[in-house]
Amino acid sequence: MPGTSGAKAGGGAAAGSGTAANGDAEARRAEAGSGEGAASALSRGVVVLFAVACGAAVANVYFSQPLLVTIGHDLAIGPALVGSVVTLTQAGYGLGLFLLVPLGDVADRRRLIVAQLLLLVVALAVVATAPTAAVLLAGMAAVGLLAVVTQTLVAFAASLAPPARRGRVVGLVTSGVVVGILLARTASGLLADLAGWRSVYLASASLTAVLALVLSRMLPRHRDAPRPTLRYGQLLGSTVTLFARERPLRIRALFGLLIFAAFSTLWSSVALPLSEAPYFLSHSAIGALGLVGVAGALAANAAGRLNDRGLSQRTTGIALALLTASWLPLAFTRSSLWALAVGVILLDLAVQAVHVTNQTLIYALHPDAGSRLIGGYMVFYSIGSATGALAATSLYTAAGWGAVCALGAAFSLLGLALWTFTRERGTPPPAPRLTR
């Protein structure tokens, strides 16, 4: 029911003694003090730096998608094996979400971020200079594993943001993630055309090294409550415990799975009809479609502000309705590029709005476990992305673009149905947690 999470906190204080109530008041004062300190450190410039770093890191997971044919020819990788380049990168990312992101709750996030970025530079250099398929595949798995620094950055930004501004901060930082995903294919295609596929990873390694240096100097040294002293196994186990205990987290994770299944349904298959009659678009022209998607992603920044005003449920419902509606213009892709553009903007706006809302709400459940919450939530994102990609490409071959749009609409409708049946009980309004 509404306020489930807030009721838990408030109920515990009411049931306890006066000492417990005083302790809760002290905790609120401590968080308020921490928020004030964070506000002074978290300028808009620093938030933009977070967003840029997130976009640059996550782009590494998607660079290879338009390069597979070229990579296969260069390293003599057969068609049956070259697809494993993408699979291993995604698998590494999924493992990193569960194995590395939770470390942000027990380690110094600033040092952890810089260390992961430096290791990512090494992995990218291995990929760029790989002499054999085996070395390439090992490097790509490492790139995926270390690219989860993106989620450590999101959790760090959320922890630094004062509660009243947390939605806006998470919204801006998450916009960097979505922009990185959407522009990765465009950037890699252009660079590969100019200087070969290896230049993509050399350029990314150089940019990542620069970001590591800048972040080491610019990231605030956050001083908050003492971190929990958990062994690594206990840390991972506590992530599972959080899911078992927090119903809002489970529901928001299901929203994440469904919206990114819809997102991946579009973006993993849209190149297929565009490369055929009547368009016969080039890879560069298809990649430029990501620029259209960026407009929708950036417009959804307003979702963060709506969350800060306590309108999370309404934002989620409207966004899921838009996501469902986006498949109507997308169904006319073969006859109108304008319809495709409208559908892309609506879809990316809706996905971004729900994603920002999800992350803002789940972080507020347990700020001291923010990395575990966000890392666990993003595992469902990965499952949804993989499901949408596999289903869409297979369905296109069997039944065409109309069937792909029906699949995307089905994922979207499932999300809307989930919101309809859980909106009264599943997700607490953020205001009590974010303004205390």
Side-chain angles (χ1 to χ4, degrees):
M1 57 181 55
T4 298
S5 176
K8 288 178 184 176
S17 64
T19 302
N22 290 338
D24 191 55
E26 290 175 6
R28 286 195 294 272
R29 285 194 297 271
E31 183 176 349
S34 176
E36 290 170 4
S40 63
L42 199 63
S43 65
R44 183 169 180 83
V46 173
V47 176
V48 171
L49 178 60
F50 270 104
V52 171
C54 283
V58 78
N60 291 296
V61 179
Y62 300 91
F63 279 148
S64 65
Q65 292 183 359
L67 309 177
L68 293 180
V69 174
T70 304
I71 292 173
H73 287 159
D74 188 32
L75 295 178
I77 306 175
L81 184 60
V82 74
S84 60
V85 171
V86 174
T87 303
L88 281 174
T89 309
Q90 293 284 356
Y93 193 81
L95 282 174
L97 290 171
F98 187 72
L99 298 177
L100 296 184
V101 175
L103 290 172
D105 289 334
V106 295
D108 183 320
R109 285 193 179 118
R110 178 174 167 274
R111 293 181 180 178
L112 182 63
I113 287 166
V114 173
Q116 282 186 282
L117 287 172
L118 292 175
L119 289 172
L120 181 57
V121 171
V122 174
L124 289 166
V126 169
V127 170
T129 58
T132 65
V135 174
L136 174 78
L137 294 175
M140 294 304 295
V143 166
L145 182 74
L146 294 163
V148 297
V149 66
T150 300
Q151 303 309 322
T152 306
L153 283 160
V154 172
F156 192 21
S159 73
L160 290 168
R165 287 182 52 217
R166 188 169 289 146
R168 279 170 283 182
V169 169
V170 171
L172 182 55
V173 174
T174 306
S175 291
V177 178
V178 178
V179 170
I181 293 171
L182 292 173
L183 295 187
R185 301 170 185 86
T186 305
S188 65
L190 291 174
L191 273 175
D193 287 342
L194 291 172
W197 72 268
R198 295 179 187 272
S199 69
V200 175
Y201 293 96
L202 285 173
S204 183
S206 301
L207 175 60
T208 303
V210 171
L211 284 171
L213 176 62
V214 173
L215 288 169
S216 69
R217 296 176 178 273
M218 295 293 294
L219 285 182
R221 289 172 170 80
H222 192 33
R223 295 288 184 264
D224 51 9
R227 295 185 179 275
T229 54
L230 297 174
R231 294 179 180 176
Y232 185 62
Q234 294 174 322
L235 183 70
L236 300 184
S238 67
T239 302
V240 178
T241 301
L242 286 167
F243 271 87
R245 189 171 63 199
E246 295 290 352
R247 187 170 184 268
L249 175 59
R250 297 195 299 272
I251 290 174
R252 286 288 155 178
L254 286 175
F255 280 138
L257 187 154
L258 291 169
I259 64 171
F260 281 104
F263 182 87
S264 185
T265 294
L266 173 67
W267 288 106
S268 64
S269 61
V270 70
L272 299 174
L274 294 180
S275 62
E276 300 171 351
Y279 301 118
F280 299 108
L281 296 182
S282 66
H283 290 301
S284 297
I286 294 171
L289 184 62
L291 297 173
V292 177
V294 168
L298 293 178
N301 252 340
R305 291 183 172 83
L306 293 173
N307 279 293
D308 290 338
R309 292 168 55 191
L311 299 174
S312 302
Q313 285 287 1
R314 188 178 303 176
T315 300
T316 302
I318 292 172
L320 288 168
L322 287 176
L323 181 62
T324 304
S326 71
W327 292 99
L328 180 60
L330 288 171
F332 292 93
T333 291
R334 286 193 175 278
S335 58
S336 172
L337 289 178
W338 285 108
L340 172 62
V342 170
V344 165
I345 291 173
L346 287 176
L347 182 140
D348 286 349
L349 186 156
V351 169
Q352 171 77 336
V354 179
H355 188 42
V356 169
T357 301
N358 287 347
Q359 292 190 104
T360 304
L361 288 177
I362 64 175
Y363 183 88
L365 292 172
H366 294 283
D368 59 329
S371 290
R372 280 166 284 173
L373 291 168
I374 289 177
Y377 162 78
M378 289 299 294
V379 170
F380 284 77
Y381 149 93
S382 293
I383 293 171
S385 294
T387 301
L390 289 172
T393 51
S394 301
L395 198 57
Y396 184 85
T397 302
W401 180 248
V404 171
C405 291
L407 174 68
F411 285 133
S412 306
L413 277 170
L414 282 174
L416 189 57
L418 178 65
W419 175 79
T420 299
F421 289 114
T422 62
R423 58 178 174 163
E424 293 300 323
R425 299 191 308 150
T427 314
R433 303 286 291 184
L434 297 180
T435 59
R436 49 173 215 173

